[in-house]
């Protein structure tokens, strides 16, 4: 089934550790995004990509990095986790539709807790 | 960048009543206006959208209206049901060629009381 997947779903980690949040989509979409969201709160765009080898920073300053080596895969890495990184991270992908329509499809999210 | 404001931030209605959420944006070049719904613990999902050349769109109990002159669009939910309880986000979007600028609003927590 075409979908967007994120692993892990939950992660508890100590300060200073390096972590990678995985995101994969099987919908063949070129565009992918990472958002940071505290539960029920505003969605903040931290990274996006328009295709392979394309990555851009979003509106919210982030100490994370991303890569896009394959169309279906868009991992996010934190080199040194801190308690301020505690949040939920949502991955999304999109494909243009008719006219200006473009639906964003979100993954289930990764809830990160940094101790 | 685009300034997006959603009002109200929280809204409680009795089951069966109507709910209206308003989204105001600053970029007059925005040309696509979606609304997303996020239920507790779940991922956001698109529920309705409208393009800039259309004033209103309906889909069963939900509708979106657009006032491009005033730069705002609204989500209308009629005959509300408990399953409508969620956080709703607007996301005014500007397309320029292949580039796209989307900004999510801060969200509105809707609670439908039985």
């Amino acid at each position: 089934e075409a979908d967007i997947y994120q692993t892990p779903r939950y992660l508890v980690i100590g300060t200073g550790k390096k972590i990678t949040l995985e995101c994969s989509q099987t919908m063949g979409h070129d565009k992918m995004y990472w958002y940071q969201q505290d539960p029920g709160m505003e969605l903040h765009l931290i990274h996006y990509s328009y295709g392979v080898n394309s990555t851009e920073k979003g509106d919210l300053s982030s100490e994370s990095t991303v890569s896009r080596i394959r169309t279906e895969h868009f991992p996010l890495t934190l080199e040194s986790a801190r308690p301020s990184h505690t949040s939920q991270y949502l991955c999304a992908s999109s494909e243009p539709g008719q006219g200006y329509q473009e639906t964003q499809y979100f993954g289930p999210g990764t809830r990160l807790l940094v101790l | 960048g685009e300034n997006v404001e959603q009002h109200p931030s929280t809204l409680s209605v009795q089951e069966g009543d109507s709910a209206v959420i308003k989204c105001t944006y600053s970029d007059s070049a925005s040309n696509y206006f979606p609304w997303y719904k996020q239920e507790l613990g779940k991922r956001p999902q698109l529920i309705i959208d409208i393009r800039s050349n259309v004033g209103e769109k309906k889909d069963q109990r939900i509708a979106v209206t657009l006032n491009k002159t005033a730069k705002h669009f609204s989500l209308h939910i009629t005959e509300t049901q408990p399953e409508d309880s969620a956080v709703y986000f607007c996301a005014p979007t500007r397309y320029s060629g292949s580039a796209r600028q989307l900004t999510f609003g801060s969200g509105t927590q809707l609670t439908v009381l039985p």
Side-chain angles (χ1 to χ4, degrees), chain B residues 52-113:
Chain B
S52 60
N53 58 347
V54 176
E56 182 177 1
K57 182 178 177 181
K58 285 184 181 178
D59 183 4
Q60 298 182 334
R61 294 187 298 107
I62 60 172
V64 55
T65 57
L66 172 65
N67 185 327
K68 279 216 77 179
T69 303
K71 291 189 281 188
H72 64 74
F73 62 112
S74 297
L75 176 69
H76 305 255
I77 306 174
T78 59
E79 300 172 32
T80 53
Q81 299 169 4
E83 54 264 36
D84 295 327
S85 295
V87 179
Y88 292 83
F89 295 95
C90 64
T93 307
R94 170 167 57 88
Y95 284 94
S96 177
S98 60
R100 160 204 159 281
Q101 188 82 18
L102 174 153
T103 304
F104 279 94
S106 55
T108 296
Q109 173 71 62
L110 172 65
T111 303
V112 179
L113 305 169

Side-chain angles (χ1 to χ4, degrees), chain A residues 23 25 30-33 48-49 68 71-72 74 91-93:
Chain A
C23 176
Q25 50 98 2
D30 285 328
K31 298 179 183 179
M32 296 188 74
Y33 315 85
Y48 61 98
S49 166
R68 190 87 183 276
T71 299
E72 62 272 19
F74 191 39
C91 181
S93 70

Side-chain angles (χ1 to χ4, degrees), chain A residues 3-4 31 33 35 37 40-43 50 59 88 90 98-104 106-108 111, chain B residues 31-32 36 38 41 43-46 49 51-52 87 89 95 98-107:
Chain A
D3 204 348
I4 182 163
K31 298 179 183 179
Y33 315 85
Y35 293 90
Q37 183 192 35
M41 303 295 285
E42 200 165 346
L43 287 153
Y50 283 167
D59 305 319
Q88 176 172 242
L90 286 167
Q98 286 187 347
Y100 295 129
Q101 183 181 22
E102 184 162 325
T103 302
Q104 294 225 334
F106 286 85
R111 293 209 175 183
Chain B
N31 44 24
Y32 173 60
Y36 286 79
Q38 186 178 26
R43 63 186 87 179
Q45 289 188 305
L46 177 75
D49 57 10
R51 300 180 213 169
S52 60
V87 179
F89 295 95
Y95 284 94
S98 60
R100 160 204 159 281
Q101 188 82 18
L102 174 153
T103 304
F104 279 94
S106 55

Side-chain angles (χ1 to χ4, degrees), chain A residues 13-18 80-84 113-115:
Chain A
I13 201 162
T15 297
K17 298 292 186 184
K18 177 180 179 179
S80 179
R82 294 209 302 267
S84 59
L113 173 61
V114 183
L115 301 174

Side-chain angles (χ1 to χ4, degrees), chain A residues 75-90:
Chain A
L76 180 144
T77 298
L78 276 168
E79 290 293 332
S80 179
R82 294 209 302 267
S84 59
H85 296 137
T86 294
S87 189
Q88 176 172 242
Y89 293 83
L90 286 167

